[in-house]
Structures are given as structure tokens and as C-alpha cells.
Amino acid sequence: MIFTIDRLGHLGDGIAQGENGPVFVAGMLPGEVVEGDLEGDRLVNTRIVTPSAARIKSPCPHARTCGGCLMQHASDAMVADWKTAHVEGALAGQGLHAPFRPILTSPPRSRRRATFAARRTKGGSMIGFHARGSDALVQIPNCQLVHPDLLAAMPGLEELVRLGGSRSQEVALMVTRALGGPDVVVTGGKPLDGALRLELARVVEAHAMARLTWDGETVALRATPIQTIGKARVAPPAGAFLQATEHGEHALLDTVREALGPQKKIVDLFAGIGTFALPLAEMAEVHAVEGDPAMVAALDKAARNTEGLKPIKAEARDLFRRPLEPDEFKYVTGVVIDPPRAGAEAQMRCLAQTKVPVIAMVSCNPVTFARDAKTLIQAGYRLDWIQVVDQFRWSAHVELVGRFVR
């Protein structure tokens, strides 16, 4: 059967119109004519009859087998338009519109954190990403997504898996680039005993890893895994949230700074380890609120040990169950809020009742961003502009910042 791709879905599949509704075709681009076998609402065994002008040769040699990237077959311009349209569509779904700035995209080989799948094998170990739509592991020695320092850590990771992995069960390895060396969090490894602890610690030392956390327990700490945020040096707890690329973090921070402008007192909601709070404290007092006590402790310690910052009050508080109330924003001149994918419905209702002059809302989910934006707009705020940031290159993921003024 032959179809013409009309558009891309939110997950990157091409979508054509069939007799009984939409037909989904993986790896295709708008305007392409494809043929294949229809199985339910999916076209399989596909062949491109007429390619799109936006189709390019994938830059990564693993693109055909690895499921880590979805959009390497599309030009940067086409991906930028697709991601921007995704945000525009989410806003339109709430009856909202705003000016869009040109998208900011992180370069290849810049992901400073990745979670690899791994398994011990008869001859050693295998580490990589899953094949698309499969549990099969694909090794990625020439990955064009992750930072070279993560690939350089592979020999040590392989040894960890040989020692503590299983041939019957996968191990997950979250690896973060840090100043002290790779910060490694292992999930699904063998139970720890005295001998395994010693062997794992030896690997950490031999391969200059900063820290190894094994199923929630710190097994070895060779060096503090430091992240530099503005003037501050932060030691995050194992597995703490971190922006995916340094480029993306700087793009978000620069945009938030511009959105807020000069301020005297800022509230940072869902502050994490201080991605915004610490740099913003160079110009204003900051009240940073975060639900994870360990991240709050890391932020507070970094603030106290950094010269040249205005006062930072770091508070551990569950903003879903106990959002900041309107009277707690008295004297606040600006707010930055960066909630998880679920958004911040309860906190946004409280924020909408304040007189805060300017709000910078950061989001990793255009749908919940649009929902929460509508709450602010209905309360008298204006959405000045949107900045889309693509730090998850070649994926369906998108981040954005919106500037709201009272």
C-alpha cells in the first residue's frame, strides 16, 4: 500500500491519512511517499518512493539500529520547525498564542548525562542503548549524542558490569560528567557483599570515577562529583536532576535572566540544586524552594561557600501538597518556576493570585505549560514571548521558557 506522509506526530512518527483513520509510519518525514504493509494503524516493511528534501544522511553510524535517537534522518531546520510547531499546537489547544524566538539547539556530542542499559555476557559485558522497539542492546562506540567523556568511561563501566551484572537481568547505568570524574549510579546490580564492595571500589579508583552509587548505596567516593553553576560549585546527591547539556543549561539561564530583568527579590520554585537560584543570586536575593531535601542541602551548602552572592534562603517543601501561598510572595519582584513534566497546577493557582510583576516559566512539557499559562493569563498576566530550547537533540523532547508580565 502507498501513502503520503502528511505530518509528524509528537513522538516523531510520520502520519498519513488512511481509509480508516491515521496511519503511523516510523522514520518518515512530511511530504514523503512511502509504501509498505499495513498492520492495524501502522505501516511496516516500508520503502520510500519519494523522499523529502529535508531528509539527510544520519550523522551517527548506529542510527539504523540504535533507538537512542529518533530524528537523525531529518535536517536541523526541519526538526526545529517540528518542535516549535509542537509548542504552538499545545498553546493553541488552550486558545493561546505568543511570539516565538528562534530555537536554541545543543550541539552533537554534548549530552553530559545518559542512562545506558547493560548486561553481563559470557565473554564480558555489553553496554549501550536499546534497539528501536526492542529489548536488544546496541553498542554505541561512535555515539554522536553523548559527550566524549561518557564514551571514554566505557571501559570502567564494562568492568563494573562484569563484576556486578547479571546475564539474566539488565543493569541500568546513569552516568554524569562531573569535575571529579564520571558520577555513576547503578540500578539492578548484584546484592552487595564484602568482596564485591572491594572489587567495585578498586574499579572506581582504577578508572578515575568520582563516585559509584550501587542500588541506592554509595560504594565508593574517590572525588566529589562537582557541577559548576555560575560562580558556585555544587556537589549534587547521586541521581539528582541536572540539565542534559551545559549548552542547554546556559541557554535556559540566559533566557530566564532576560525574562526577569533587574530584580531585588526572586522566588525560585522547583529550584533543584540551584540551576537558576545560584546565578540569579549574583543580582538579587533569592528564596529557593525544592521538594527534595538532599538537593536543597546541596544548594544551601554551595550558596554558603560561594563569595559574591546575595542571600539565598533554601527551603525544602513539597510544592504539590503545600504550594507557596499568595501572601508569601509579598515584596517579591520576580519568580522563576521550573516544574517537572506534570506541571504545577496547584502552585500556579496561588501564583495567579499574586501581584508579582514578572514570571519566567520553564517547562519540559508544552501541554502542561499551556495549561498553567492559561491560569496566569486568565488572572491578568500577559505572555510576552516563548523561547524553545532543544537540548535533547534528535529526540521528541522539547523545553521552553515563557515570559509573563502582570
Side-chain angles (χ1 to χ4, degrees):
M1 301 184 71
I2 296 180
F3 294 90
T4 299
I5 304 300
D6 297 321
R7 58 190 173 89
L8 287 181
H10 292 165
L11 298 180
D13 280 351
I15 300 177
Q17 187 59 44
E19 292 182 1
N20 299 314
V23 174
F24 299 89
V25 193
M28 299 302 160
L29 300 177
E32 291 188 323
V33 178
V34 298
E35 66 176 356
D37 302 321
L38 190 61
E39 294 184 357
D41 62 354
R42 305 200 68 86
L43 197 68
V44 299
N45 303 321
T46 55
R47 183 180 72 85
I48 299 174
V49 177
T50 306
S52 165
R55 179 171 289 276
I56 63 170
K57 181 180 179 181
S58 299
C60 182
H62 311 298
R64 282 186 172 273
T65 53
C66 176
C69 295
L70 294 174
M71 298 299 295
Q72 288 201 359
H73 57 288
S75 69
D76 285 352
M78 191 263 141
V79 174
D81 289 345
W82 170 56
K83 292 200 172 188
T84 300
H86 181 22
V87 180
E88 290 173 335
L91 288 174
Q94 295 289 348
L96 306 179
H97 303 277
F100 275 70
R101 297 175 161 202
I103 193 170
L104 301 174
T105 302
S106 293
R109 298 169 68 89
S110 64
R111 283 283 297 274
R112 61 181 172 181
R113 165 177 285 184
T115 300
F116 302 107
R119 182 180 285 117
R120 185 165 61 85
T121 65
K122 187 175 182 179
S125 61
M126 176 179 286
I127 299 177
F129 294 129
H130 288 119
R132 189 169 292 113
S134 169
D135 290 333
L137 285 183
V138 177
Q139 292 179 298
I140 47 161
N142 297 307
C143 179
Q144 297 298 300
L145 180 67
V146 302
H147 194 283
D149 287 356
L150 298 192
L151 294 181
M154 282 296 174
L157 301 177
E158 290 170 352
E159 192 166 353
L160 290 178
V161 176
R162 284 196 297 271
L163 289 168
S166 168
R167 293 179 64 182
S168 60
Q169 179 178 322
E170 279 192 2
V171 173
L173 304 166
M174 178 190 287
V175 188
T176 304
R177 182 175 180 253
L179 291 185
D183 187 11
V184 182
V185 176
V186 176
T187 305
K190 288 181 180 177
L192 290 167
D193 58 25
L196 181 56
R197 289 174 193 273
L198 289 174
E199 285 296 297
L200 295 175
R202 177 189 61 76
V203 174
V204 168
E205 188 66 33
H207 292 274
M209 297 177 185
R211 175 173 59 187
L212 173 62
T213 305
W214 194 270
D215 284 326
E217 181 179 339
T218 300
V219 173
L221 181 64
R222 187 191 64 84
T224 303
I226 294 293
Q227 298 294 335
T228 301
I229 301 178
K231 295 179 178 179
R233 292 162 64 89
V234 186
F241 175 79
L242 188 70
Q243 296 293 343
T245 71
E246 289 185 64
H247 173 278
E249 181 178 286
H250 293 157
L252 291 170
L253 174 59
D254 289 347
T255 304
V256 165
R257 276 180 169 147
E258 182 183 354
L260 292 177
Q263 297 295 334
K264 292 183 178 180
K265 186 172 182 180
I266 295 171
V267 169
D268 180 3
L269 300 166
F270 302 96
I273 59 171
T275 300
F276 302 114
L278 290 165
L280 290 174
E282 296 173 22
M283 71 168 181
E285 292 185 24
V286 178
H287 179 192
V289 188
E290 164 59 42
D292 186 322
M295 287 198 279
V296 172
L299 190 167
D300 183 60
K301 183 177 180 180
R304 288 186 283 105
N305 291 333
T306 304
E307 294 183 357
L309 300 183
K310 295 186 182 297
I312 296 179
K313 176 187 176 183
E315 178 184 359
R317 180 165 171 173
D318 186 338
L319 292 171
F320 294 105
R321 290 187 171 89
R322 197 162 64 91
L324 262 67
E325 297 294 336
D327 61 356
E328 295 181 84
F329 291 92
K330 191 175 182 180
Y331 307 122
V332 171
T333 58
V335 167
V336 55
I337 179 168
D338 182 14
R341 289 191 62 79
E345 203 166 4
Q347 182 61 77
M348 208 58 65
R349 286 196 297 267
C350 293
L351 193 53
Q353 299 174 49
T354 72
K355 295 181 180 180
V356 175
V358 60
I359 298 170
M361 180 158 47
V362 184
S363 176
C364 60
N365 185 342
V367 174
T368 55
F369 173 90
R371 179 201 67 199
D372 293 344
K374 187 173 184 179
T375 299
L376 292 179
I377 290 169
Q378 288 177 332
Y381 280 90
R382 180 183 73 243
L383 177 53
D384 269 359
W385 45 256
I386 295 286
Q387 175 67 69
V388 178
V389 176
D390 183 10
Q391 61 175 323
F392 289 86
R393 191 183 183 96
W394 299 316
S395 79
H397 193 79
V398 63
E399 300 196 46
L400 64 146
V401 180
R403 181 177 191 260
F404 297 82
V405 294
R406 173 62 86 175

